[in-house]
Amino acid sequence: MVKLALSDDILMKIDKPARYIGSEINMVKKNIEDVKIRFCMCFPDVYEIGMSHLGLQILYDMFNKREDVYCERVFSPWVDLNNIMKEKNIPLFSLETQQPVKNFDFLGITIQYEMCYTNILQVLSLSNIPIFSRQRDWDSPIVIGGGPCTYNPEPLADFFDMFYIGEGETSYNELLDLYNESKEQNISRDEFLRKASKIEGIYVPSLYEVKYNEDGCIASFLPLYDDVPSKVSRQVVKDFTSSVYPEKPIVPYTKVVQDRVVLEIMRGCIRGCRFCQAGTIYRPTRQKDVNKLKEQAETMLKNTGCDEISLSSLSSSDYEQLKELVEFLIDNFKSRGVNISLPSLRIDAFSLDVMGKVQDIRKSSLTFAPEAGSQRMRDVINKGITKEDILKGSSDAFKGGWNKVKLYFMLGLPLEKEDDIKEIAYLAEEIAEKYYDVVPKEERNGKCQIVISTSFFVPKPFTPFQWARMNTDTEYLDKTHLLNDTVKKQLNKKSIKYNWHHANVSRLEGVFARGDRKLSKLIVDAYNRGCIFDAWTEYFSKEKWDEAFANTGISESFYLDRERDKDEIFPWDFIDAHVTKDFLYKEYQNAKDEIVTPNCRQKCAGCGSASLKCGVCIKQK
């Protein structure tokens, strides 16, 4: 019986104590005396968010399949427990063995979004692990980061011993084997890091030197030693069907965001939207065989007892065997009371038919993501959808019994004009008109409900828009007011609701997305002022971040408010993402010329991913 790290008295005081006690269904139990490597997997946000992340479940399963490794988990303690642990000097602990994180060999932190950066410092601080990698020795774990934000790891470079660039299923075993050998040979930590840098996908920031021009831009980014690679290659799973996947995922005792079985049907996206980082960093599109998915669905439902199954991909409609898979799920599980969730569908006749079979139409809403209101802007961003597609999908949905539609857009996109913003309101109005045109009055279930939501565009690394400037707070606010005023002028304004995000959070996200190593002092300063859980509206403090910018002399404007030169060295240029910078710049010029690039199944655009010889690229040869 594992003794809990927190006393009953503390557990009774804090919110949702089930976050910290472990022992969930399917949790792996091993004797720590029987393993050589202890790996603590961390998601630097609250338990409910972290346990909903598929990547964590995949790596947890993969590591624990090795007899010489015990992988455990840790999450950011919520604010209430964070304060108690600081006050009582309680070290951060893993869920499985309830032992201090500092006692592990590795601390692997998955970095899914920029607004968790101060939480990474929270985890290190509560673990009594030195914040800066240069201050660590073998008494501290090797701190390794992975996830989408490692496609520009530089703002965090001073805090991590290494980063894993790409999909985790490929090179981790080689790294763990090297660690075992290094400990047996009793070599220094620095020597281990230097050897690790030669493993595909492993980036060791301390082995690279960055020099700057007088204007603050990067002059050079080079390895310190000849045997350290100048480029780090993004890792890609080529045989997606046979790759490791958790058939006994952990089932939490408390409700989490994704409280269901998740089937990853496809990785990557054929569409090539120019704002979308995921569409680049997961190229090429790779599909899992439908028969493998059927087996996994049966096994995972049996092993978890979940009453819902969800398909996971960037664009589920583009999975070529979707019809066969969905019909299998409906035929085999609907009668057992299992709900079927189908996100990321394009609204076409097949999708509407399927959703009608698996949803309560009167309670559910349909979601479209046109991203831009005008056709001109949809061509600029290469969205690959027309107004006719949207209106036809809406008409078919209304005829099928739906009366609720959610529309997602972005404001602040490159080349955006006032008329493009107004077109968002006009499109919502046309959709509302379709409802009243195609649904007879006696068959209507009340008024139609059109909900517009806008987020603010953030230019991300490895996208064609990485050269673009970002809008200021004032520009964003002016655009929301323009759209809101336009919505209020529509004939069916009572059927249309408009929601928007806060610009200051998006601006900070942009700083970290595009930033360099100089930002480490900003993150430390903000953390020392009490900034944690910045992704949570109730805890984000613009005032504290403004103070941190002022105190460190970091210019937000430098990172956000300028168009980048074609040949500027980006902080992430050392990563070989298998999508060339030349291709991305060509796509940026295509955006300016409003030229649409065909999707990957229609025609190969020559992005560079064909060099991997897998997925959709093979079919396009």
Side-chain angles (χ1 to χ4, degrees):
M1 185 72 177
V2 174
K3 182 181 178 181
L4 296 179
L6 301 176
S7 66
D8 290 348
D9 181 53
I10 292 175
L11 289 170
M12 292 296 288
K13 289 179 181 177
I14 59 178
D15 186 35
K16 299 181 181 178
R19 293 167 170 163
Y20 311 107
I21 62 176
S23 296
E24 306 101 316
I25 296 167
N26 294 333
M27 185 191 86
V28 174
K29 298 178 182 179
K30 291 187 179 183
N31 187 340
I32 61 174
E33 305 299 328
D34 296 336
V35 299
K36 292 182 178 180
I37 298 175
R38 299 187 65 194
F39 197 114
C40 195
M41 185 69 65
C42 171
F43 195 102
D45 206 327
V46 73
Y47 176 92
E48 294 94 304
I49 304 293
M51 280 306 298
S52 302
H53 176 53
L54 178 59
L56 184 144
Q57 295 261 18
I58 290 174
L59 292 181
Y60 181 84
D61 178 75
M62 183 178 83
F63 289 159
N64 279 316
K65 279 184 165 67
R66 287 183 57 133
E67 292 185 1
D68 61 344
V69 176
Y70 190 9
C71 182
E72 306 183 38
R73 295 162 296 139
V74 69
F75 303 92
S76 285
W78 190 238
V79 177
D80 54 358
L81 181 58
N82 175 76
N83 295 336
I84 291 172
M85 293 178 77
K86 282 188 171 183
E87 177 189 337
K88 297 184 178 293
N89 199 27
I90 300 172
L92 189 61
F93 54 90
S94 69
L95 295 189
E96 276 72 5
T97 60
Q98 301 280 302
Q99 292 191 2
V101 170
K102 188 175 182 182
N103 295 348
F104 284 70
D105 298 289
F106 284 87
L107 172 60
I109 302 177
T110 181
I111 316 167
Q112 292 297 307
Y113 33 82
E114 290 83 359
M115 301 311 294
C116 74
Y117 285 5
T118 52
N119 276 47
I120 292 171
L121 300 196
Q122 175 211 26
V123 167
L124 294 172
S125 179
L126 289 177
S127 301
N128 296 319
I129 297 170
I131 293 291
F132 294 100
S133 60
R134 62 178 178 269
Q135 298 172 340
R136 298 181 198 130
D137 55 24
W138 276 129
D139 288 335
S140 296
I142 297 294
V143 181
I144 179 170
C149 289
T150 61
Y151 287 90
N152 178 21
E154 288 303 280
L156 299 170
D158 290 342
F159 312 132
F160 282 79
D161 297 304
M162 60 177 68
F163 293 94
Y164 185 111
I165 311 296
E167 297 170 357
E169 297 96 327
T170 62
S171 294
Y172 260 117
N173 283 324
E174 188 177 351
L175 177 65
L176 297 175
D177 290 341
L178 174 65
Y179 181 82
N180 276 334
E181 294 170 11
S182 300
K183 296 296 279 188
E184 289 171 2
Q185 295 168 6
N186 200 29
I187 67 173
S188 70
R189 188 183 180 97
D190 287 344
E191 190 176 349
F192 164 72
L193 292 175
R194 192 159 166 180
K195 287 185 175 182
S197 72
K198 299 178 182 64
I199 296 175
E200 287 283 312
I202 300 297
Y203 167 53
V204 180
S206 62
L207 300 179
Y208 296 77
E209 181 181 31
V210 186
K211 293 182 179 179
Y212 295 90
N213 296 316
E214 288 186 9
D215 63 0
C217 296
I218 293 174
S220 64
F221 190 112
L222 298 169
L224 292 170
Y225 307 100
D226 291 340
D227 62 337
V228 174
S230 59
K231 286 275 190 179
V232 178
S233 180
R234 170 175 70 98
Q235 295 304 286
V236 176
V237 175
K238 295 183 179 181
D239 184 358
F240 188 49
T241 295
S242 301
S243 64
V244 65
Y245 200 77
E247 295 189 337
K248 296 181 69 174
I250 296 172
V251 182
Y253 288 132
T254 187
K255 186 170 178 59
V256 297
V257 176
Q258 296 285 348
D259 196 8
R260 59 190 70 117
V261 161
V262 177
L263 277 184
E264 188 180 18
I265 62 174
M266 183 171 68
R267 199 170 285 181
C269 181
I270 63 172
R271 297 290 160 181
C273 297
R274 293 176 179 135
F275 59 84
C276 181
Q277 185 188 57
T280 300
I281 64 175
Y282 293 112
R283 290 190 179 205
T285 301
R286 290 145 290 152
Q287 300 184 125
K288 189 172 289 186
D289 181 75
V290 69
N291 292 317
K292 184 70 171 181
L293 290 168
K294 292 175 184 178
E295 293 172 14
Q296 289 178 340
E298 290 273 12
T299 303
M300 294 170 75
L301 285 168
K302 177 182 176 182
N303 289 336
T304 61
C306 289
D307 61 0
E308 185 170 351
I309 189 165
S310 176
L311 306 186
S312 173
S313 75
L314 293 173
S315 178
S316 297
S317 292
D318 292 322
Y319 178 66
E320 291 177 308
Q321 295 169 295
L322 182 64
K323 185 175 187 296
E324 180 180 348
L325 176 61
V326 169
E327 288 177 351
F328 170 83
L329 296 176
I330 292 173
D331 292 344
N332 286 271
F333 303 123
K334 194 75 170 67
S335 61
R336 302 187 210 173
V338 176
N339 293 321
I340 300 165
S341 175
L342 306 168
S344 306
L345 288 178
R346 296 170 78 85
I347 306 304
D348 54 25
F350 168 70
S351 298
L352 291 170
D353 179 58
V354 168
M355 285 186 280
K357 293 177 181 176
V358 301
Q359 292 180 355
D360 183 340
I361 292 174
R362 288 183 174 270
K363 293 182 180 179
S364 63
S365 59
L366 286 177
T367 300
F368 294 87
E371 309 295 358
S374 69
Q375 192 58 50
R376 187 190 79 84
M377 276 307 300
R378 286 192 291 273
D379 290 346
V380 166
I381 64 176
N382 207 50
K383 182 61 184 175
I385 188 173
T386 66
K387 186 194 327 191
E388 289 69 30
D389 295 330
I390 298 168
L391 293 179
K392 184 180 187 309
S394 300
S395 294
D396 290 345
F398 294 146
K399 291 175 185 175
W402 278 275
N403 70 337
K404 304 172 189 175
V405 175
K406 294 179 181 178
L407 300 168
Y408 288 98
F409 299 90
M410 280 186 285
L411 291 179
L413 287 160
L415 313 173
E416 183 179 66
K417 300 176 183 177
E418 280 195 6
D419 286 346
D420 299 312
I421 297 168
K422 291 179 180 179
E423 286 287 345
I424 295 174
Y426 302 155
L427 180 61
E429 169 68 15
E430 286 194 62
I431 292 173
E433 289 173 357
K434 282 289 181 184
Y435 175 75
Y436 297 109
D437 286 344
V438 303
V439 181
K441 190 172 183 179
E442 63 275 10
E443 296 179 15
R444 294 173 193 163
N445 180 27
K447 294 197 305 286
C448 71
Q449 300 172 43
I450 312 296
V451 179
I452 299 170
S453 293
T454 59
S455 60
F456 296 115
F457 165 74
V458 178
K460 291 293 181 83
F462 295 105
T463 68
F465 291 154
Q466 62 184 352
W467 285 272
R469 67 176 288 270
M470 193 170 173
N471 282 196
T472 64
D473 286 351
T474 301
E475 287 173 319
Y476 279 136
L477 196 59
D478 288 346
K479 289 177 178 182
T480 58
H481 288 164
L482 174 63
L483 178 53
N484 197 37
D485 291 344
T486 309
V487 167
K488 290 178 179 177
K489 294 176 182 177
Q490 301 311 300
L491 182 64
N492 290 290
K493 60 187 177 184
K494 290 184 178 179
S495 295
I496 306 171
K497 182 180 179 182
Y498 173 39
N499 302 318
W500 63 88
H501 293 209
H502 295 289
N504 46 32
V505 176
S506 297
R507 290 275 293 179
L508 185 58
E509 180 185 338
V511 170
F512 292 137
R514 298 156 70 87
D516 52 27
R517 293 190 182 192
K518 290 179 284 189
L519 294 183
S520 63
K521 61 183 179 181
L522 173 70
I523 299 169
V524 171
D525 190 290
Y527 175 70
N528 290 336
R529 293 176 189 277
C531 290
I532 55 172
F533 288 104
D534 295 302
W536 296 74
T537 304
E538 63 266 42
Y539 288 106
F540 177 75
S541 172
K542 185 178 188 302
E543 293 72 23
K544 289 177 181 177
W545 278 103
D546 285 344
E547 291 169 3
F549 275 106
N551 188 52
T552 57
I554 298 291
S555 168
E556 178 183 279
S557 180
F558 171 78
Y559 294 105
L560 301 182
D561 298 336
R562 61 189 179 88
E563 178 95 359
R564 306 295 174 97
D565 292 336
K566 177 186 177 183
D567 298 321
E568 178 173 333
I569 298 174
F570 294 133
W572 52 89
D573 276 351
F574 71 92
I575 298 172
D576 177 8
H578 309 295
V579 175
T580 67
K581 196 172 182 179
D582 285 344
F583 167 78
L584 294 174
Y585 192 76
K586 179 183 176 184
E587 278 294 280
Y588 190 32
Q589 300 312 303
N590 283 344
K592 292 180 177 180
D593 294 334
E594 301 170 23
I595 296 173
V596 174
T597 300
N599 74 56
C600 295
R601 287 199 185 122
Q602 292 174 325
K603 182 181 178 182
C604 177
C607 73
S609 292
S611 63
L612 293 165
K613 299 178 181 178
C614 64
V616 69
C617 295
I618 296 176
K619 296 181 180 180
Q620 292 301 309
K621 291 181 69 174

